[in-house]
Amino acid sequence: MSTTQPDPDLEEAARRATVLHLRVPPGTPDSTYRAVLQVLEPITPTVQVIPPGAALVDVTGVLRLHQSTPYELAWVIRLRAAAMTGTDLHIGVAANWALAATASDRPGPGGIRLVPDSPAAVTGFLHPLPIDALYGIGRRQAEALRRFGIHHIGTLAAVPAATVQRVLGGRDGRLLLDRAHGVDPRRVTPTVLPRSTSESRSFAHDELDPAVIRTAILEATVTIGARLRERDQAATGVEVQLRMSDRSLLTRSRKLPAPTAHSTDLRDCAYAIFNGLHLQRARVRAVTVRADQLLDADRVAEQISLDRTEENIRRIETAIDRANRRFGAGAVKPAALACRRSG
């Protein structure tokens, strides 16, 4: 009876596949996504956050520390994420960003797809895939290639570079041809979640009515407040930006009295900024509200209010958040927004 011996070359190629691309299921709450990112902290410091539901991990420098292969670390991450957050991660393991992202979009039965860093493994994985699966390709670019009879990534890889560049343009042609060959030189750059968040509302025509503009500000701050509470974050400042009819921008910001995620606090600050502009018959085309200098909620002391009205407002806010999580964003909103239409 014969036994299959491990292929040392393939094992070495698998160890060189040190980039992991993680995807959380669509619709995963932001707080759960943040919890998944915390699972990665004991594994490696080289994590590139890709909101709202993905991350890149480079484990090159920690393989010896963990005494594991990249594929084994992918299993550790997946199991810990499932145990600690209940999230079913899909993970691609490859030698670069584009390959790993393509692999995570087509995971194996265990939720993980490994593409060893060898020419045979890369072409065996990539080339049979439809042209739409090429990482970074746009719909129109894929349609243009199909019109030339290029329906699979392997077919594109066999086309001369000059031809691809004539079809897609010089820069895009070179980039996508490289990716068809499994080449992506970008490095994993450690990043964190954004420290600001914004919402914009536009008008169908130049708006002169301050009441309409204030309603747009209200809608933006309600959305931002709900997002901050979902992320367990608090803002320390608010910025309001108006885009005028002549395309110029008018921007003002203000520091909040205390870090907050409450929509009423954000609204009052944004209103104060807008009122302080003293606009006279100004024609406004769009308004953007930004919550700046965000902090994690566990770094913010909860202010105890002795104002019964304020406490009731915050209880109502919590109930609204629960209702919107259950029935969909915007299911419950302030009465002033019930009939509001964006342009």
Side-chain angles (χ1 to χ4, degrees), residues 108-121:
I112 300 175
R113 171 79 66 180
L114 168 66
V115 183
D117 184 28
S118 73

Side-chain angles (χ1 to χ4, degrees), residues 25-267:
T28 297
D30 191 80
S31 57
T32 304
Y33 173 57
R34 291 169 63 84
V36 169
L37 297 179
Q38 291 176 355
V39 171
L40 302 175
E41 291 179 2
I43 304 294
T44 175
T46 312
V47 177
Q48 183 169 341
V49 178
I50 310 175
L56 279 169
V57 178
D58 190 335
V59 297
T60 305
V62 298
L63 295 179
R64 183 173 296 180
L65 172 67
H66 294 292
Q67 293 294 297
S68 301
T69 66
Y71 183 73
E72 290 168 343
L73 287 178
W75 269 108
V76 170
I77 291 169
R78 191 169 190 275
L79 291 174
R80 288 184 182 177
M84 298 170 66
T85 72
T87 306
D88 183 21
L89 288 182
H90 287 176
I91 304 178
V93 185
N96 61 57
W97 178 338
L99 269 176
T102 305
S104 70
D105 199 32
R106 289 159 179 79
I112 300 175
R113 171 79 66 180
L114 168 66
V115 183
D117 184 28
S118 73
V122 171
T123 57
F125 169 67
L126 268 185
H127 287 191
L129 296 178
I131 196 65
D132 305 85
L134 185 61
Y135 185 78
I137 196 168
R139 180 177 57 83
R140 292 184 179 179
Q141 292 170 322
E143 290 174 352
L145 291 173
R146 282 194 291 266
R147 285 197 296 270
F148 281 85
I150 301 171
H151 296 275
H152 293 86
I153 294 176
T155 309
L156 175 61
V159 175
T163 302
V164 177
Q165 290 174 24
R166 281 200 299 272
V167 176
L168 300 178
R171 180 181 178 278
D172 288 348
R174 288 191 299 271
L175 176 67
L176 293 177
L177 189 58
D178 280 346
R179 292 187 181 171
H181 287 285
V183 176
D184 184 359
R186 293 174 298 171
R187 295 180 178 273
V188 178
T189 304
T191 57
V192 296
L193 282 173
R195 294 288 95 181
S196 68
T197 186
S198 64
E199 277 290 311
S200 296
R201 297 294 183 269
S202 59
F203 305 109
H205 52 77
D206 295 339
E207 187 57 64
L208 293 167
D209 188 348
V212 174
I213 300 171
R214 283 167 60 91
T215 300
I217 291 173
L218 171 63
E219 185 175 33
T221 54
V222 167
T223 301
I224 290 172
R227 183 182 304 152
L228 294 179
R229 294 189 295 276
E230 178 69 28
R231 293 180 177 180
D232 290 326
Q233 290 180 306
T236 61
V238 171
E239 177 184 281
V240 174
Q241 182 180 88
L242 303 180
R243 179 158 59 87
M244 315 307 286
S245 59
D246 62 358
R247 298 184 181 275
S248 63
L249 297 175
L250 181 60
T251 305
R252 296 291 186 273
S253 61
R254 181 173 294 194
K255 188 175 177 63
L256 287 156
T260 184
H262 296 298
S263 298
T264 52
D265 297 337
L266 300 172
R267 177 205 64 194

Side-chain angles (χ1 to χ4, degrees), residues 322-335:
R322 284 200 300 266
N324 285 334
R325 280 195 295 269
R326 181 175 180 181
F327 299 109
V332 182
K333 65 180 77 173

